Amino acid sequence: MAREAAEGKVVLVTGASSGIGRACADLLARSGFTVHGTSRSAPVDPPAGWTWQEMDVRDGAAVGDGVARIVAAAGRLDAVVNNAGFGIAGAVEDTTVGEALDLFQTNFLGALRVCRAVLPHFRARGTGTIVNVSSLGGRIGLPFQGLYSASKYALEGMTEALRMEVKPFGVKVVLVEPGDTRTGFTAHRQRTALSETNGAYRERFIRALQRIEEDETGGGSPEVVARLILRVLRHPSPRLRYTVGNPVQRLAAVARGVLPGRLFEWGIMRYYGVH
Ligand SMILES: NC(=O)c1ccc[n+]([C@@H]2O[C@H](COP(=O)([O-])OP(=O)(O)OC[C@H]3O[C@@H](n4cnc5c(N)ncnc54)[C@H](OP(=O)(O)O)[C@@H]3O)[C@@H](O)[C@H]2O)c1
């Protein structure tokens, strides 16, 4: 990849207290970026070479103030990594609208709030990069993670459109789609309340969740995703989409486009033990 210099560039990383966001903030800081990392709780290990501030992406005023503080402190903002997010497990039938809304408030609307806060600044300067951290679950509807997949599909759709809208202003918009990655994501995943009591899905739900958790805890290191994000931020004209992680999982995203639908579905159902 061709490279742009990082020196002096200011980047906001949301969800920087843990996992991919933490790895990203650390690596970008080591690579010459001025990094402002945000989350609801402070990182357990103090940030090395970057600045942390509290910012809940569910709170529009907090996002607006947070972005304004960074621009005031650093004098500019060059890029944002919309990474804050969490997972929820449960059958679609066992997910209440309230639980779904709660998830979308962070995974989808959180990214929208941050995009809306940074875009006037990016447009005014005629430059800026937005990296939205999606998931391979944003390319494939994963059984018993249906609402998580839906939140990432929503992010994907918005990102595709946004990229075309802001291209004439010199703003770049990119999707990074990690496969299973070893982070706090597994421990932080919520289960829908009804999944604990509804017997109809119980056995298949437990089997699928076990598979999902094994894949995540045995998954790639968050530094691998961080390295990809660094490459994207240094690229003068990045693509719309980058997948990262286990080659089999990355292949699944491709297979989805080429295999007959029934065969693909059969494979996914066998894989997660939900047939
Ligand atoms: N791990 C995987 O296998 C995997 C695979 C594909 C995609 N992803 C995506 O990667 C991103 C990062 O996840 P991770 O794996 O690094 O998980 P993680 O270790 O649990 O980190 C999630 C981060 O998001 C922050 N966060 C959650 N809710 C927030 C809110 N309302 N406002 C601000 N920050 C919030 C958390 O901090 P606080 O709780 O302190 O706010 C934390 O810093 C997510 O978007 C996830 O969907 C993960």
Side-chain angles (χ1 to χ4, degrees):
M1 277 189 195
R3 278 165 62 149
E4 281 187 345
E7 282 66 35
K9 288 206 169 166
V10 181
V11 57
L12 159 63
V13 180
T14 71
S17 61
S18 168
I20 293 170
R22 172 75 207 228
C24 194
D26 287 348
L27 178 65
L28 294 179
R30 285 201 305 275
S31 306
F33 286 84
T34 299
V35 179
H36 290 262
T38 62
S39 48
R40 292 167 302 176
S41 53
V44 175
D45 298 322
W50 53 273
T51 308
W52 177 82
Q53 72 175 48
E54 186 181 338
M55 191 177 94
D56 185 340
V57 297
R58 297 170 301 180
D59 178 343
V63 169
D65 290 351
V67 168
R69 263 202 303 275
I70 294 167
V71 173
R76 58 192 276 184
L77 182 61
D78 297 280
V80 59
V81 181
N82 274 315
N83 162 78
F86 70 97
I88 188 164
V92 171
E93 182 184 340
D94 289 342
T95 310
T96 64
V97 169
E99 287 168 329
L101 277 174
D102 192 43
L103 181 77
F104 271 70
Q105 279 295 350
T106 298
N107 290 12
F108 175 57
L109 297 173
L112 172 63
R113 287 184 190 97
V114 175
C115 287
R116 294 196 64 230
V118 301
L119 276 167
H121 182 69
F122 285 180
R123 280 191 298 99
R125 293 184 61 227
T127 182
T129 305
I130 295 173
V131 177
N132 286 339
V133 178
S134 175
S135 167
L136 286 177
R139 300 284 292 281
I140 301 165
L142 301 171
F144 298 105
Q145 294 195 87
L147 268 298
Y148 175 69
S149 274
S151 71
K152 295 297 188 180
Y153 269 68
L155 183 65
E156 296 250 341
M158 177 180 78
T159 306
E160 282 183 11
L162 176 64
R163 179 173 162 107
M164 293 184 273
E165 290 169 5
V166 299
K167 203 170 200 164
F169 300 109
V171 179
K172 303 166 212 163
V173 186
V174 177
L175 282 162
V176 165
E177 302 168 328
D180 290 318
T181 311
R182 255 182 355 258
T183 66
F185 190 78
T186 312
H188 297 148
R189 176 183 284 109
Q190 296 179 9
R191 293 180 185 207
T192 70
L194 284 171
S195 62
E196 306 296 341
T197 53
N198 184 359
Y201 296 100
R202 188 80 195 147
E203 273 182 33
R204 291 160 69 234
F205 169 67
I206 297 290
R207 265 205 306 276
L209 193 55
Q210 201 175 342
R211 181 79 210 220
I212 292 160
E213 289 183 347
E214 279 169 16
D215 283 350
E216 285 165 2
T217 49
S221 138
E223 280 75 28
V224 175
V225 185
R227 282 201 291 275
L228 172 66
I229 292 172
L230 172 64
R231 290 212 324 268
V232 167
L233 291 180
R234 280 176 165 165
H235 199 293
S237 56
R239 298 196 306 262
L240 167 63
R241 261 193 188 86
Y242 293 83
T243 57
V244 53
N246 176 327
V248 176
Q249 294 175 358
R250 294 171 67 192
L251 199 63
V254 179
R256 197 220 157 106
V258 293
L259 287 182
R262 280 175 202 274
L263 180 59
F264 183 76
E265 185 183 84
W266 178 86
I268 293 287
M269 289 185 75
R270 304 285 305 183
Y271 183 81
Y272 287 106
V274 301
H275 47 293

